[in-house]
Amino acid sequence: MNKPKLCVAGASGLVGSNIVKAALAAGYDVHGTMRDATDETKRPWLMALPGAAERLTLHSAEAETGAGFDAALSGADAVFIACFPPIYRGRDGTPARELDAQRGFDEIVRPVRDGCLNVLAAAERQGVRTVVLCSSTSSTNPPVPVAVKTEANAVSDPDQQMADGKFTSAEKIVMERAAAEFCAAHAMRLAILLPTMMLGPVVLPQHLDGDSMALPTGLLAGRKRHERVPAGSISLSHV
Ligand SMILES: NC(=O)c1ccc[n+]([C@@H]2O[C@H](COP(=O)([O-])OP(=O)(O)OC[C@H]3O[C@@H](n4cnc5c(N)ncnc54)[C@H](OP(=O)(O)O)[C@@H]3O)[C@@H](O)[C@H]2O)c1
């Protein structure tokens, strides 16, 4: 029997690389994507994972155009999509919160939605019927806070988020809704993960400087995150 084959879109990311590692350990053949699969600052760390030499193939693929995803998805049983990290700035570097509605949609929300649809369209063309989409808890913030969150009541309102200038949050739920519509229309099975901030072992050393791991590494290096001890909480999950 052939080994199951998983495509991991965003294999060089914090989440994607851990999925690659777990899938190799579970015996899968893995096709991983990143924008430049020849990048020698990233590739060797993935190819050094146990099982990678025999069962990991890395592909260059760009979500903005969809280029490269057909080859990476060819023959896959499922795809794990983790290639849409939050966009915090517009194209000229303007912070997302300072963009007007048109620019916020055009430069933050739409690229993520359309990029995800490009990956899904390639999956559909290649006959991949099972999709796991890694999104975020930014989709779980209803306009009026609820005391106890459930799947039914903890749903962000994308129009409200965009009206409030929260384009970086809105990109997620807009992407999820487009993905759900696409998968329903093409009889594809879709699971969406909504993780909190994720910490844990890294596969690539550069993840220690990434958005989430910079929190513990900064503390260890003595960098202050707050001037005063804050009264609040932060949700964390193990990657
Ligand atoms: N990290 C967290 O704490 C956390 C928390 C909640 C939710 N999430 C969600 O988990 C998902 C993955 O996040 P992450 O932290 O793993 O992100 P990450 O470390 O920044 O990795 C992003 C991955 O996507 C690839 N990528 C970026 N832009 C791309 C593009 N235009 N086309 C194709 N590939 C592209 C990157 O590859 P190259 O740069 O090598 O090309 C990399 O493999 C995201 O949806 C994020 O919102 C993460």
Side-chain angles (χ1 to χ4, degrees):
M1 205 179 101
N2 288 339
K3 294 191 181 72
K5 190 177 289 181
L6 179 68
C7 176
V8 180
S12 54
L14 175 72
V15 173
S17 58
N18 272 283
I19 297 291
V20 169
K21 184 178 170 185
L24 289 171
Y28 284 74
D29 278 337
V30 182
H31 286 188
T33 80
M34 51 211 273
R35 280 169 291 186
D36 178 5
T38 66
D39 184 337
E40 285 302 314
T41 67
K42 300 181 178 178
R43 181 185 178 87
W45 300 99
L46 291 162
M47 295 312 298
L49 288 168
E54 303 79 29
R55 289 182 282 112
L56 175 63
T57 317
L58 294 175
H59 297 256
S60 297
E62 169 55 69
E64 203 175 314
T65 58
F69 277 102
D70 279 278
L73 285 154
S74 172
D77 297 291
V79 58
F80 189 104
I81 302 176
C83 62
F84 298 104
I87 303 175
Y88 295 112
R89 293 182 179 274
R91 288 199 192 97
D92 64 0
T94 306
R97 295 295 298 255
E98 293 171 19
L99 297 175
D100 63 27
Q102 191 63 51
R103 286 192 63 195
F105 184 74
D106 287 347
E107 297 178 31
I108 309 279
V109 177
R110 183 159 54 195
V112 173
R113 181 197 67 184
D114 292 356
C116 185
L117 289 173
N118 285 338
V119 178
L120 291 173
E124 198 272 328
R125 282 192 296 274
Q126 296 303 322
V128 179
R129 288 281 169 269
T130 300
V131 179
V132 181
L133 176 61
C134 188
S135 189
S136 154
T137 42
S138 60
S139 301
T140 66
N141 297 315
V144 179
V146 290
V148 179
K149 285 186 171 183
T150 68
E151 282 196 9
N153 69 15
V155 183
S156 300
D157 176 341
D159 295 328
Q160 187 64 51
Q161 285 181 320
M162 286 191 276
D164 293 341
K166 296 178 180 170
F167 303 109
T168 308
S169 296
E171 73 175 53
K172 294 298 187 192
I173 193 154
V174 170
M175 169 183 78
E176 290 165 26
R177 289 187 176 174
E181 198 175 312
F182 185 95
C183 289
H186 295 89
M188 294 159 76
R189 181 175 171 225
L190 173 70
I192 300 176
L193 304 182
L194 304 174
T196 61
M197 176 186 269
M198 283 182 276
L199 302 177
V202 299
V203 175
L204 281 71
Q206 43 270 62
H207 293 156
L208 292 174
D209 301 322
D211 283 345
S212 46
M213 291 303 293
L215 171 61
T217 55
L219 290 174
L220 287 172
R223 287 195 292 274
K224 274 195 281 185
R225 192 172 166 93
H226 299 282
E227 287 305 318
R228 301 174 59 191
V229 176
S233 68
I234 186 166
S235 301
L236 303 172
S237 43
H238 191 282
V239 70

